């Protein structure tokens, strides 16, 4: 499999897990310490025996030994909730929470089910994951900070409250970006792949991680480690590219940046969603590739992420025929325990993809949660019904169909992650979108601008420019207009050099006949049908990407990006750096 973890690292983790299992197992189901009932959990106080300072795994093992069944089960659940506040929600949000979990507010959900974490959700217009985002509870940084503060206050009253509450979100940047206003917007992963400079990626993701931490988010479901082996529209520009080695280098940079800022990185979607063009939100994609192809073409970015120290991996709803045919990866012990743990040696937290996605909903929520945990997942993400998932896990624990050792192992890993995040200073909210972070994003975006047709040395536009865009992209068109004006290029309503923008989901009909320059702001495949003499790619529509494009068009920067994916019909030049 190529990568062998150090013996010291593996033995260290294993010994702590063994200690936790032994401590938890000694009490037996009838001898565990008394824990408050779910209805009393909101007023409970943390254990009188706080976890010791020092090694996170040792602290986790000490805390696990004090927890009863209800708390153990709650720590492996990470649902979403309705409402932009932990305690004060609208009537509609209260109704949504009652259907989801039988309570009105996110704080009550945490108390009733002793939750280990919560995911913040939302979506944008071009988001390919919008199908399983049933609500939104992110608006702006101030609101998010208030929400996370309230969630932590609720979790701090639980018996496991000495460990930081996990608050995660899908902040990938590009088309999947939950918090969009008031924060630094990095270019997409595909743009970083075009820039092909892991140091720039690390700096940008460190800036992003600092801003997430300032808002109270300590777990990012990113970076995407999928290699774009197909023209997948669900992965697309979320991937760093089609070359496993180049993708691996970028993944390592993103992990180091995020975790250097105190936010846990999550590699997804194991073992590689980019090897299928199907959408796992709606169906079960099938990976027909041989094990050898997967080992060399899909796994290198994941192992690079492990080597960079990634603390979490997301399992994918994929039918990996070479490993466990017919079984979604989320429920495959062969994939998650034998391959991910045993062969690749990953010792961090394994998190399911959303359990409200179609392949996971083939089972009722309780059964699905039990199957996922038994397969090797440690954290159950977005169960479609929290009550049923919680009750199913608790019943399975007590009847033995969920071995206590497996649950304790999972909780120990989750708490180890939490203690790794503990005691880190929280960045000030003033760091959001500051000049340093803005510069890091712009440096990465500028290095990504790529020539896909035309002369590397003759991209500068002359005379006035008209900026046009495919339907629904007025905001991006305005951003490029502003950036061009700032760069000294005169922009006019019509006439002159026509620069046309196309983006996510656009096809041949969205191209403009007669455009002098056509720019792809997502995957570049549509450009194969474009007739413009100059074709460029920014790979992203962020403001930073528009600033980088404007600098190239104004002749103030060179387009040094290199296509991270092959495009049939285009013979892209190799521009000097």
């Amino acid at each position: 499999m190529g990568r062998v973890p150090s013996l010291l690292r593996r033995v260290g983790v294993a010994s702590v897990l063994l200690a936790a299992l032994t401590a938890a197992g000694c009490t037996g189901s009838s001898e565990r310490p008394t824990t408050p009932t779910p209805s009393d959990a909101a007023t409970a106080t943390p254990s009188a025996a706080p976890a010791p300072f020092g090694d996170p795994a040792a602290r986790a093992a000490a805390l696990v030994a004090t927890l009863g069944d209800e708390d153990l089960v709650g720590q492996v659940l990470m649902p979403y909730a309705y409402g932009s506040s932990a305690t004060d929600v609208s009537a509609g949000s209260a109704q949504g929470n009652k259907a989801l979990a039988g309570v009105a507010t996110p704080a009550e959900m945490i108390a009733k089910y002793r939750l280990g974490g919560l995911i913040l959700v939302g979506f944008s217009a071009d988001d390919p994951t919008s199908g399983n985002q049933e609500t939104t509870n992110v608006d702006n940084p101030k609101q998010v900070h208030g929400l996370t503060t309230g969630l932590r206050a609720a979790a701090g009253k639980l018996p496991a409250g000495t460990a930081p509450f996990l608050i995660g979100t899908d902040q990938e940047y590009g088309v999947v970006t939950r918090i969009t206003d008031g924060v630094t917007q990095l270019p997409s992963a595909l743009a970083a792949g075009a820039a092909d400079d892991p140091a720039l990626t690390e700096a940008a993701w460190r800036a992003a991680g600092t801003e997430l931490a300032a808002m109270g988010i300590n777990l990012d479901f990113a970076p995407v480690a999928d290699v774009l082996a197909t023209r997948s529209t669900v992965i697309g520009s979320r991937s760093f590219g089609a070359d496993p080695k180049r993708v691996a280098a970028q993944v390592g940079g993103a992990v180091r940046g995020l975790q250097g800022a105190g936010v846990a990185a999550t590699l997804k979607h194991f073992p590689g969603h980019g090897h299928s063009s199907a959408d796992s939100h709606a169906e079960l994609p099938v990976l027909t590739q041989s094990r050898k192809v997967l080992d060399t073409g899909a796994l290198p970015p994941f192992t690079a992420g492990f080597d960079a120290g990634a603390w979490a991996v997301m399992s994918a709803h994929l039918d990996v025929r070479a490993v466990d045919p017919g079984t979604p990866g989320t429920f495959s012990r062969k994939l998650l325990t034998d391959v991910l743990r045993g062969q690749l040696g990953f010792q961090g937290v394994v998190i399911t993809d959303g359990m409200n996605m179609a392949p996971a909903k083939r089972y009722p929520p309780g059964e699905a949660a039990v199957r996922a945990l038994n397969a090797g997942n440690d954290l159950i993400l977005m169960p479609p019904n929290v009550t049923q998932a919680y009750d199913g896990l608790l019943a399975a624990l007590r009847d033995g169909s969920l071995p206590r050792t497996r649950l304790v192992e999972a909780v120990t890993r989750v708490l180890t992650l939490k203690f790794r995040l503990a005691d880190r200073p929280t960045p000030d909210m003033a760091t959001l979108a500051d000049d340093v972070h803005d510069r890091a994003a712009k440096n990465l975006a500028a290095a990504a601008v790529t020539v896909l047709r035309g002369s590397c040395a003759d991209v500068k536009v002359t005379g006035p420019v008209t900026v046009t865009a495919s339907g629904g992209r007025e905001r991006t068109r305005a951003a490029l207009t502003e950036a061009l004006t700032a760069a000294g290029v005169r922009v006019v309503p019509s006439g002159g050099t026509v620069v046309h923008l196309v983006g996510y989901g656009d096809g041949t009909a969205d191209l403009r006949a007669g455009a002098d320059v056509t720019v792809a702001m997502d995957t570049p495949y549509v450009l194969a049908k474009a007739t413009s003499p100059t074709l460029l790619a920014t790979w992203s529509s962020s403001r930073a990407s528009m600033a980088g494009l404007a600098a190239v068009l104004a002749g103030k920067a060179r387009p040094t990006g290199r296509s991270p994916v092959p495009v049939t019909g285009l013979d892209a030049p190799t521009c000097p750096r």
Side-chain angles (χ1 to χ4, degrees), residues 121-146:
V121 293
F123 52 89
S124 57
D126 289 342
D127 189 344
T129 72
S130 61
N132 74 320
Q133 306 299 313
E134 299 181 23
T135 183
T136 181
N137 51 13
V138 295
D139 183 18
N140 59 71
K142 182 179 179 180
Q143 172 267 319
V144 171
H145 184 265

Side-chain angles (χ1 to χ4, degrees), residues 10 13 24 44 72 86 89 95 100 150 167 248 269 277 287 327 341 364 370 372 378 400 452 473 499 514 548 552:
R10 177 176 284 182
V13 173
L72 292 173
V89 302
Q95 184 178 4
L100 178 67
I167 302 177
H269 309 80
S277 59
L287 301 191
T327 304
R341 297 288 191 199
V370 173
D378 303 306
L452 294 176
R473 307 198 184 281
V499 176
V552 167

Side-chain angles (χ1 to χ4, degrees), residues 230-250:
T230 65
R231 292 193 177 188
S232 167
T233 56
V234 68
I235 299 300
S237 60
R238 301 167 66 191
S239 167
F240 289 102
D243 183 319
K245 291 183 179 179
R246 288 176 63 178
V247 173
Q250 293 297 316

Side-chain angles (χ1 to χ4, degrees), residues 205-471:
W205 280 81
R206 186 180 296 270
T210 300
E211 296 189 4
L212 288 171
M215 291 183 284
I217 295 167
N218 56 10
L219 174 62
D220 194 4
F221 297 115
V224 171
D226 303 325
V227 175
L228 197 59
T230 65
R231 292 193 177 188
S232 167
T233 56
V234 68
I235 299 300
S237 60
R238 301 167 66 191
S239 167
F240 289 102
D243 183 319
K245 291 183 179 179
R246 288 176 63 178
V247 173
Q250 293 297 316
V251 167
V255 168
R256 288 189 294 272
L258 266 178
Q259 295 191 169
V263 174
T266 309
L267 306 176
K268 65 185 189 186
H269 309 80
F270 184 83
H273 204 313
H275 277 66
S276 171
S277 59
D279 184 352
S280 61
H281 296 90
E283 60 184 304
L284 178 63
V286 177
L287 301 191
T288 59
Q289 294 84 358
S290 69
R291 179 62 189 272
K292 181 178 180 180
V293 168
L294 294 177
D295 285 352
T296 58
L299 296 185
F302 289 95
T303 57
F306 302 159
D307 290 335
W311 291 332
V313 169
M314 179 178 286
S315 60
H317 305 312
L318 301 171
D319 180 356
V320 187
R321 293 295 170 89
V323 177
D324 195 0
T327 304
T330 317
F331 305 120
S332 173
R333 182 175 177 83
K334 291 181 180 178
L335 181 66
L336 301 183
T337 299
D338 297 347
V339 175
L340 180 57
R341 297 288 191 199
Q343 296 175 20
L344 300 183
F346 180 66
Q347 293 296 326
V349 174
V350 179
I351 307 171
T352 71
D353 205 343
M355 296 295 279
N356 61 345
M357 295 163 64
K361 291 171 73 174
R362 60 169 56 185
Y363 305 111
E367 182 181 352
V370 173
R371 284 177 177 269
L373 212 65
N374 277 333
N377 293 283
D378 303 306
L379 201 55
I380 309 300
L381 187 66
M382 301 177 77
N385 186 290
V386 181
T387 305
Q388 292 176 29
Y390 178 88
D391 289 347
L393 287 168
L394 193 58
L397 175 65
R398 290 173 172 169
D399 71 18
S401 54
L402 171 61
R404 182 171 298 278
T405 53
R406 172 76 273 269
L407 179 60
V408 169
E409 178 185 59
V411 175
T412 303
R413 287 197 175 105
V414 170
L415 292 176
T416 298
L417 171 60
K418 291 184 174 192
F419 283 122
R420 279 176 166 165
L421 297 167
D423 307 321
R424 293 189 178 231
T426 302
D428 193 274
M429 287 285 283
T431 65
L432 269 69
D434 70 7
D435 290 343
V436 174
H437 295 175
D438 183 62
R439 186 161 53 251
K442 286 181 175 177
N443 288 343
L444 181 59
V449 181
T450 306
V451 177
L452 294 176
R453 178 189 291 161
S455 169
C456 296
D458 192 26
V459 180
K460 180 181 178 179
V461 297
T462 58
V465 169
T466 296
V467 179
T468 62
S470 59

Side-chain angles (χ1 to χ4, degrees), residues 172-200:
E172 296 177 10
Y173 302 95
V175 294
V176 178
T177 305
R178 301 293 179 238
I179 307 164
T180 57
D181 295 332
V183 298
T184 300
Q185 286 294 328
L186 306 191
S188 68
L190 202 58
D196 200 22
D197 187 336
L200 290 179

